[in-house]
Amino acid sequence: MSSGAADLRQRKNQNCTESDKMAPEERNKENSKLGRSPKSVASGMMYAVYLSTYHERKFWFSSRQELEREITFQGDSAIYYSFYKELLKAPSFERGVYELTHNNKTISLKTINAVQQMTLYPELIASVLYQASGSQEVIEPVYFYIGIVFGLQGIYVTALFVTSWVMSGTWLAGMLTVAWFIINRTDTTRIDYSIPSRENWALPYFACQVAALTGYLKKNLNCSAEKFCYLLVSASTYTFMMMWEYSHYLLFVQAVSLFLLDSFALAQTEKVHEVYKIYLFSLFLGYLLQFENSALLVSPLLSLIAVLMLSKCLQMNMKKGTFMSRLLKIMYVYLVLTIAVTLNFLLKMFVPHKENEHLLKFIEVKLGLNRTKNFTMNWLLCQESLQTPSQDFFLRLTQSSLLPFYIFVFIICLFSVTQVIFRRICGEPLKETVNLEDGRIGERPEIVYHVIHTILLGCLAMCLEGMKYLWTPYVCTLAAFGVCSPELWMTLFKWLRLKAVHPILLALTLSMAVPTIIGFSLWKEFFPRIMTELSELQEFYDPDTVELMTWIKRQAPVAAVFAGSPQLMGVIKLCTGWMVSSLPLYNDDDLLKRNENIYQIYSKRSAEDIYKILTSYKANFLIIEDSICNEVGPVRGCRVKDLLDIANGHVVCEEGDSYASSKYGRFCHEIKMNYSPYVNYFTRVYWNSSGPNRGVVYGKSNNSYIIRHMSLDKMLNYPFYLKPMFR
């Protein structure tokens, strides 16, 4: 074992020494392949400007009042931005952080550490930058906030540009990657309709990490470039982990890719294990700085890395054995994964954690291993992002020519990698330097990594449509790299045994001609559409919500608590600052239970039941939305009221099953009639009557609100409700 490690270290030092002796022009060529060019930066800046212009055209942002601007933030986005506002209003940054970590002014009867539970580190950083840079007199807080997000998207595109450039060696691949990314913006990013989401803050750092990792895995890399890539991988991995609560799951997928890459000896073991150390350091530091977040301790990433570090000696010995010992690699992979799963199970038994149990139940139901009538579970399953991808998704990728070229490149790379793995099992060593005429693109470790990575991400995207935002950007990168890489064309010609034309000359010609033709066709077809988007003024006008928020700020008591759909509660918290009974957050079991209970206002339950639920959360005002009460969903059985009827057993003969029907009418309908017993518990204080639909309002065609004040004094005539109410 020690001799094997010494050989690896000696080879690594020898590579560094040889690369340091390279001619200056060769060293500059290596550095240029790592993306040190204004082209990549310019593409990122142009994309950021494009997003800013499109956002302005879509919402008329600069001509709106502050309230109308804030209404454009919907759902969880509204919550994130509301905490950014609170930080800026605090007398000091320290006081603002303390109020967020001991927050009891957002959710009734609940004190939360909002920084930890909602991953508010982006808002902390944005508020510090806004105040430290002296931007208070130059730019409004909302423009500063969304400007940072748009700037990060520019970095995102730049990182993808660099990744494809590093793999192919030409900037044409980077330009084609950016073009496909922008054209397929609907399937590559959520930035259009959810600016403050954690993904938009975190994924640019992950893209930087992937770009640096791609360069780090390259063979014959000079020492300065290798150190730069290593530092960038370290910094971006930790930052990514701090920005998104689900980041360690994505890093786990990446770690599995590296593990498979290393298991078949397709990359330098020392480099792979250095990345493992980066994971461990990021997990440890993240655990400390995220208020001892136990979710990181029970993360599958930690379990896998711990097992891989312990099995390092066994893996190195297997790489220098007989044919039979190499066949044992399959058993080795099986043992590592089995031990990692067992270790993760043991950690969850002994380490107190708040990891969501509903995630495991969701997976069981999603895979068809279990059935449930639970409202929360079925509601999550009905979310568009958690369903399988639609045919429109593949149709859009095909129309932009992305999917056909990706499949073409992917098949060639996969077959080449399979050949290399077979040669390694048979004992054939890898070549230190792969030349163009060799036609062995599968021997390049960075290419193998991306092939495995896209396979794993693609499997997730085929199960959950929301995962397409992780997979599609790297589809753009791999497809652009392939059509621009002479090595890929040469690999294909080696298989075809092409002799009529000189294969190297033809490969070089096609690597320039094909991306040029693709680029011109994309420019001709999609550039006019993009310019139309930027020139067309889209009307966003939501007078109902504006009137509602204005009424709340003028008429509602300061200590009032509002109850309603979680999505609307997020907007109320942002626009008015009033306390709410629930939030559109789905990483906390208590909040999920609250959401289910509040949603009962759209079920067939009595006025007494609804009143008891609302008073248990100290709610004073109830908001009923006609868009939910009268919802006509495209998917039968996925409407909120349908899911409530199934959970409460109020459905008769639904798909062959019989349930007892309720003797009460639907609460949201009955309360409008103003008859007993509803008038005994609720008093109408505001009515918002919707006018005609005047624009895009996030898919809602009717935004009527009914607000009814929950009058406690009316309960005096019903003494048997006094005890449970004031308990």
Side-chain angles (χ1 to χ4, degrees), residues 345-359:
F345 178 76
L346 293 175
L347 286 174
K348 290 183 177 180
M349 288 181 59
F350 295 102
V351 176
H353 65 282
K354 297 181 180 179
E355 191 180 27
N356 301 322
E357 296 182 358
H358 67 273
L359 290 178

Side-chain angles (χ1 to χ4, degrees), residues 451-490:
V451 170
I452 300 174
H453 198 198
T454 53
I455 290 176
L456 297 179
L457 291 179
C459 291
L460 294 175
M462 295 304 103
C463 297
L464 305 173
E465 185 168 356
M467 298 300 294
K468 68 182 181 182
Y469 300 106
L470 304 178
W471 178 61
T472 314
Y474 297 101
V475 169
C476 300
T477 302
L478 192 65
F481 139 75
V483 297
C484 297
S485 174
E487 292 180 73
L488 182 129
W489 294 105
M490 193 64 197

Side-chain angles (χ1 to χ4, degrees), residues 331-510:
M331 182 60 66
Y332 165 77
V333 172
Y334 171 77
L335 288 175
V336 167
L337 295 178
T338 302
I339 296 174
V341 172
T342 304
L343 178 60
N344 186 255
F345 178 76
L346 293 175
L347 286 174
K348 290 183 177 180
M349 288 181 59
F350 295 102
V351 176
H353 65 282
K354 297 181 180 179
E355 191 180 27
N356 301 322
E357 296 182 358
H358 67 273
L359 290 178
L360 297 177
K361 297 179 181 178
F362 169 79
I363 294 175
E364 291 180 0
V365 177
K366 184 69 177 178
L367 297 177
L369 302 177
N370 194 4
R371 295 185 64 184
T372 180
K373 298 178 183 177
N374 180 267
F375 168 80
T376 300
M377 193 62 55
N378 289 326
W379 184 81
L380 290 175
L381 288 169
C382 285
Q383 298 305 300
E384 182 179 356
S385 61
L386 298 180
Q387 296 181 4
T388 54
S390 62
Q391 294 182 355
D392 294 339
F393 167 59
F394 300 103
L395 181 61
R396 288 192 297 268
L397 296 187
T398 303
Q399 289 175 342
S400 65
S401 73
L402 173 60
L403 189 59
F405 281 106
Y406 167 73
I407 295 175
F408 170 74
V409 173
F410 175 76
I411 291 176
I412 295 177
C413 291
L414 182 61
F415 282 173
S416 181
V417 170
T418 304
Q419 285 183 334
V420 174
I421 293 175
F422 181 77
R423 295 191 190 105
R424 294 295 291 144
I425 293 177
C426 295
E428 181 180 338
L430 293 176
K431 298 183 64 174
E432 287 294 329
T433 303
V434 180
N435 299 320
L436 177 59
E437 58 269 15
D438 295 332
R440 294 187 177 185
I441 197 170
E443 290 193 7
R444 292 175 54 186
E446 70 273 19
I447 305 302
V448 182
Y449 159 72
H450 277 279
V451 170
I452 300 174
H453 198 198
T454 53
I455 290 176
L456 297 179
L457 291 179
C459 291
L460 294 175
M462 295 304 103
C463 297
L464 305 173
E465 185 168 356
M467 298 300 294
K468 68 182 181 182
Y469 300 106
L470 304 178
W471 178 61
T472 314
Y474 297 101
V475 169
C476 300
T477 302
L478 192 65
F481 139 75
V483 297
C484 297
S485 174
E487 292 180 73
L488 182 129
W489 294 105
M490 193 64 197
T491 301
L492 177 61
F493 297 154
K494 278 287 185 179
W495 294 341
L496 298 177
R497 301 178 183 273
L498 186 64
K499 296 181 180 179
V501 183
H502 196 284
I504 296 181
L505 178 61
L506 183 59
L508 292 172
T509 303
L510 289 177

